[in-house]
Amino acid sequence: MCSVHKYYNADFKEQFELFSSHGVIVSPHGAGLINVMFLPPFSSVIELFPYRMDHNLYSNLAILSGVGHYPVHTYKAPDMWSRYKVRL
């Protein structure tokens, strides 16, 4: 199941239901990833980081929750048109 959800205005129940009902979450780095603790065991989160940013809070939380954590970092491109590429 794939879902695109704007949970900026979602209440706690909606956020809990969103995370607890999915096996894979892809999200940019941010406070919304605190909900990683509600993912089912053995699920995964793919966290998107901006260039040169490394932060392990959500990685640690995922590990403690039995969830796989996969960081994806953007990289600094030589010109402005290719700055949106990512490396895995």
Side-chain angles (χ1 to χ4, degrees):
M1 179 169 157
C2 179
S3 104
V4 176
H5 185 74
K6 294 181 184 178
Y7 64 94
Y8 301 110
N9 297 322
D11 62 15
F12 177 78
K13 181 181 176 200
E14 289 173 319
Q15 291 179 40
F16 174 80
E17 288 172 353
L18 173 70
F19 276 75
S20 65
S21 65
H22 287 78
V24 176
I25 297 289
V26 179
S27 175
H29 173 76
L33 282 174
I34 196 71
N35 294 313
V36 135
M37 67 181 117
F38 302 131
L39 285 169
F42 309 109
S43 56
S44 297
V45 62
I46 300 169
E47 184 176 3
L48 307 174
F49 284 100
Y51 175 66
R52 286 192 168 191
M53 180 178 190
D54 196 17
H55 194 274
N56 62 2
L57 172 66
Y58 305 117
S59 173
N60 292 339
L61 186 57
I63 290 167
L64 291 171
S65 302
V67 171
H69 179 268
Y70 303 94
V72 175
H73 293 85
T74 60
Y75 68 95
K76 186 173 182 176
D79 62 66
M80 64 182 265
W81 299 110
S82 58
R83 72 174 179 234
Y84 299 106
K85 295 179 183 177
V86 296
R87 67 177 169 82
L88 298 176

